[in-house]
Amino acid sequence: MSLIKLHDKTFEPYVTAVQLQEIVARVADEIYQDLGDSRPVFVCILNGSFMFAADLVRRYKGLCELSFVKMASYEGTQSSGKIHHLIGLSDDLEGKDVVVIEDIVDTGNTLEEIYRIFADKKVHSFRIATLFFKPDAYTKDLKIDYVGKPIPNRFIVGYGLDYDELGRNLPEVYQLNTSLTMTNIVLFGKPGAGKGTQAAFLKEKYGLVHISTGDIFRYHIKNETELGRLVRSYTDRGDLVPDDVTIKMLQEEVAKNPDAKGFIFDGFPRTIAQAEALDAFLASKDMKIHGTLALEADDEVLVERIIGRGKVSGRADDQDETKIRNRFAEYNEKTAPLIAYYQQQGKYYPIDGIGSIEEITQRLSQAIDLIKSK
């Protein structure tokens, strides 16, 4: 298997034909163990699952029926993409064991509608079998009885799955090669270095998703989510939020943006332990940090800049020089060692943080362009 190109995107090998047949055989055996004494009706949801369904029934050891159906959406100006009914679905399913065959389950929206459609069919039993399942994207509380392979929230093609109708006939499965298109940046610097301001420009220019741990914390706390309450339990005691809690929040943000061209991580990592945790998390998603941009500026300049900002914002801790210098000391102690960490990986890019906003943006852009060219 080698890289392939479909339309404007490049895909890399992910699951071989041999591995697919092993997965299909296992799922067929699991279904037979549950329903071997009956004659189940396999309902194949076209178009994506046609290959999976064909191989599944060939591997199934017992008697079975097979039905092919297609989805139909609401028509007219109120179309929302939701399923209205299944074209080709037999009404004669009463008392039968039904297994719906899906190619992939991600958010679960389609699955929810399938459950709804079958709710009044008076079937003897109802099960879902999917070749692929994206747990990071799944938002429903609906049972999936048979899962061929859990996968990250990445775009895949082949073995029935398509990209704008291309790739269905491939005997293997390929995933979008984000290493050729994705750019993940860590942006760090001392307080007052202008990370937030620059991130706002860079995310627009390069189509990146800006993930600020400070913004995430504030969102979860304000909305009193489960994670927000957990964060508050630490901050109210004056304790630092543990790395595993922060990483969990980052995981959620990354999972929300499966089609992102890349991410700007702002405010994380702050320590080597956090950097290692971030690398491990990204590696589990077949991703990585491509470069670390460090905005550098003299302490005296930053103190003056922060105090000026504090006069406008009214933040008391931005008007107390002692507190500002204490924040610098904490940065030097915990965050500065990251320089060596990323230097060893060849990913460290120091950026002169003194000058106009436009000048600094230009310097950062030059560094990102260099990273993208590698």
Side-chain angles (χ1 to χ4, degrees), residues 24-25 27-40 42 54-65 99:
V24 173
V27 173
D29 287 344
E30 291 174 358
I31 298 174
Y32 181 71
Q33 289 174 12
D34 291 340
L35 299 174
D37 294 334
S38 69
R39 191 174 72 186
F42 290 104
D55 285 343
L56 185 67
V57 296
R58 279 200 291 262
R59 295 277 188 170
Y60 191 70
K61 297 175 182 177
L63 296 175
C64 65
E65 300 177 27
V99 181

Side-chain angles (χ1 to χ4, degrees), residues 242-274:
D243 292 350
D244 60 336
V245 176
T246 306
I247 279 288
K248 187 173 182 180
M249 289 185 173
L250 290 176
Q251 290 174 337
E252 288 190 355
E253 293 304 310
V254 170
K256 291 177 184 176
N257 298 277
D259 299 323
K261 294 180 180 179
F263 297 89
I264 300 176
F265 294 97
D266 173 7
F268 192 92
R270 293 181 181 273
T271 66
I272 290 179
Q274 291 179 354

Side-chain angles (χ1 to χ4, degrees), residues 258-309:
D259 299 323
K261 294 180 180 179
F263 297 89
I264 300 176
F265 294 97
D266 173 7
F268 192 92
R270 293 181 181 273
T271 66
I272 290 179
Q274 291 179 354
E276 291 173 341
L278 180 60
D279 282 349
F281 162 60
L282 293 178
S284 72
K285 306 298 180 186
D286 297 319
M287 297 161 58
K288 65 180 181 180
I289 293 298
H290 294 86
T292 298
L293 308 180
L295 287 170
E296 298 183 338
D298 181 77
D299 284 3
E300 302 307 316
V301 174
L302 293 180
V303 168
E304 184 179 344
R305 183 185 294 176
I306 293 173
I307 290 176
R309 183 179 69 185

Side-chain angles (χ1 to χ4, degrees), residues 192-210:
K195 299 187 298 297
T197 299
Q198 293 300 328
F201 285 105
L202 296 175
K203 73 176 184 179
E204 295 297 329
K205 181 173 182 178
Y206 294 98
L208 306 178
V209 175
H210 178 209

Side-chain angles (χ1 to χ4, degrees), residues 226-246:
E226 181 180 351
L227 281 173
R229 291 191 293 271
L230 182 59
V231 168
R232 186 182 288 278
S233 71
Y234 291 101
T235 58
D236 284 351
R237 297 195 304 265
D239 296 335
L240 295 175
V241 179
D243 292 350
D244 60 336
V245 176
T246 306

